[in-house]
Amino acid sequence: MKVHFLLIIVCLFAACKSKPSDKDTHSLKVKHVKVLASSYKNTIKIKAAGIDTSNTDSEPAYANYYILIADTGINYYTLRNRMFALNKLSGIPIDTMERGYNKAKDLIALSDKDEDEIYAGEYYPRRFPSKTLSLEYLENYQFDTSPKTIALVAGIYENKNSADSALQVIDKVKTAFVFKGRVYVGCMH
């Protein structure tokens, strides 16, 4: 056993120390690499130049947005009626994102027959800035709320001034408020 190990080390040493001929040196650039015996484990982390990848796997992508909420509650149909009334009052367009209420699942969801195989029949949240009305689960924007609390979202804004201006448009809605939310904007698959 010791003899075999000694022979492997001698071969490795000889392989690492051999120099290419002058002909090879001029025609090819040879990069010397360290050869490890198979019993060793070697882990190499490769990082692209100029790109910080230190947090890409361990920390999901979030963005801070200002969320304008016109009202909240647990009854989908009551909030849906308020959404249509607010649309008529303010002219803010409605975007349901092809979602409706699934009574059997008690869930705001895409159709079970939706082309998105991952989220068909499931809730998919509004996650990016928009100036539209929709019904969303409030816990996606405000983490200390009940999982079934529904929010009548009247817009998601990148800055506070825009959100406050939009709040003035719906000032007749006494339940409306704006807050800064941390919204997940990474991949959802």
Side-chain angles (χ1 to χ4, degrees):
M1 175 83 171
K2 289 182 182 181
V3 174
H4 292 300
F5 185 68
L6 186 56
L7 286 174
I8 291 173
I9 293 201
V10 168
C11 289
L12 290 175
F13 183 71
C16 290
K17 292 295 182 179
S18 65
K19 294 184 179 182
S21 67
D22 287 339
K23 182 179 180 183
D24 289 339
T25 305
H26 297 295
S27 63
L28 297 173
K29 289 188 176 183
V30 178
K31 183 178 179 182
H32 294 282
V33 294
K34 184 177 180 182
V35 179
L36 300 173
S38 62
S39 63
Y40 291 103
K41 291 184 180 177
N42 188 13
T43 304
I44 299 173
K45 290 185 180 180
I46 300 174
K47 216 181 222 189
I51 299 173
D52 181 11
T53 60
S54 59
N55 290 327
T56 56
D57 292 330
S58 61
E59 186 176 312
Y62 284 88
N64 292 318
Y65 293 135
Y66 293 88
I67 320 296
L68 173 56
I69 305 292
D71 203 356
T72 62
I74 58 171
N75 187 303
Y76 174 84
Y77 295 105
T78 300
L79 287 170
R80 182 176 174 266
N81 290 338
R82 288 183 185 158
M83 179 173 66
F84 287 121
L86 184 57
N87 168 259
K88 284 184 180 181
L89 176 72
S90 66
I92 300 172
I94 296 172
D95 183 5
T96 63
M97 294 174 42
E98 303 296 321
R99 299 168 303 170
Y101 186 70
N102 185 321
K103 288 181 186 179
K105 293 181 179 180
D106 186 27
L107 184 70
I108 299 170
L110 293 168
S111 165
D112 288 331
K113 297 176 183 177
D114 192 86
E115 63 185 40
D116 185 337
E117 295 174 3
I118 296 173
Y119 286 99
E122 298 298 324
Y123 173 69
Y124 188 86
R126 179 174 303 281
R127 303 179 312 128
F128 298 101
S130 67
K131 298 174 184 176
T132 57
L133 299 171
S134 65
L135 297 175
E136 308 293 334
Y137 286 109
L138 187 57
E139 73 173 343
N140 286 296
Y141 312 110
Q142 202 171 48
F143 301 114
D144 58 347
T145 61
S146 169
K148 289 294 183 177
T149 301
I150 300 170
L152 170 48
V153 174
I156 299 175
Y157 299 89
E158 293 183 75
N159 63 62
K160 186 167 177 24
N161 290 340
S162 297
D164 288 341
S165 295
L167 178 61
Q168 297 304 314
V169 170
I170 62 169
D171 67 346
K172 293 180 182 176
V173 180
K174 302 298 181 199
T175 56
F177 61 97
V178 172
F179 69 93
K180 186 176 184 178
R182 189 162 163 84
V183 180
Y184 180 76
V185 294
C187 292
M188 292 185 66
H189 51 79

